[in-house]
Amino acid sequence: MIKIAIIGLGHAFQKQVGALRQNKNFELVALCDKNKRNLVRYKGDNLYLTTNYKTLVNKCECVLISSPPCSHLKIMKFFIKHNIKIMVEKPIVINSRQFDFLLSINNDNKIYNCLHFSFGKEIEWWINNKRLDKPRYIKCLITDKYMENNKILPKAINLHGAYLDETINPLSAIARIYGYEINNIYIFKRRLPNNKYDSYSMAKFVLNEIDIEIEVDWARNQDEKYIDLIFDNEIIRLDSKRQLVKELSSDKILFSGEGERMTNHYIGAFDNYLITLQNKEKWIKLYTGLFGNYEK
């Protein structure tokens, strides 16, 4: 059994804990958050509670870093030095400079990037039932209610913008289905006045000769997350929000998943971690694609 600590009690925390509780190979032993108030409610749960991640040394064998992305590199550096296994949320770092530095210090493959979106029930089903031919085009739409009065909500500021936070989700799912040879062709980002980060992005990639378009929009006041696989004669929608696989022209439901969506994501990600323990080769290719043209 792997003794694990979670660093950062954010919006995904309850989903992460729910998934860990369903996996007999993990024991949650500690929680860390800079805000003491986030820890108070867990005082009676026989967990080690701390506001300082450095005190987790000798308390656990593995950490799940779920703090704001700007803190990931610093925390990973500490646990690499102390030989503790690392799972870290996406995005793994926030720019190509940090990415290059991470590669320079991570020589023994301790890091598993927890690309939870790619383990959706609809993705799993398509992997097991996909057609032999590849789609000629893939179009994705991701929306979240992260804006109000043309301002990014305070809770979303730490996400560092629509492109960095969201594009990796469908990109990681598509790569899990069709391979990781990703080339970044084009990125457009739109930042509204008085906002630090972009709230809209449009990016184009090529993956194994498949053209991919990923649109992210925080201003639509919607919550949609889907990947459309466009074949010559049909369009298959992998609908993450509803955990559905649908043929659009006929409106035929090919698959419908059950259970809480993000908890299912983490169940899949944690199961995969137990098999692989690291996914460095995959996340290198993903973030090389993600950061291509990012700073231009």
Side-chain angles (χ1 to χ4, degrees), residues 51-67:
T51 58
N52 183 356
Y53 64 84
K54 293 181 179 179
T55 66
L56 294 172
V57 174
N58 300 322
K59 300 292 184 182
C60 63
E61 302 162 277
C62 178
V63 292
L64 170 55
I65 301 171
S66 193
S67 54

Side-chain angles (χ1 to χ4, degrees), residues 126 131-139 174 178 205-213 228-236:
W126 185 252
R131 296 166 36 158
L132 293 177
D133 57 325
K134 294 186 296 187
R136 59 178 175 82
Y137 197 77
I138 298 177
K139 188 171 183 179
I174 295 164
Y178 293 111
F205 304 86
V206 174
L207 187 158
N208 287 341
E209 300 181 344
I210 305 170
D211 292 320
I212 300 167
E213 178 182 290
D228 284 348
L229 308 174
I230 302 170
F231 296 89
D232 287 335
N233 299 314
E234 63 180 351
I235 300 175
I236 302 295

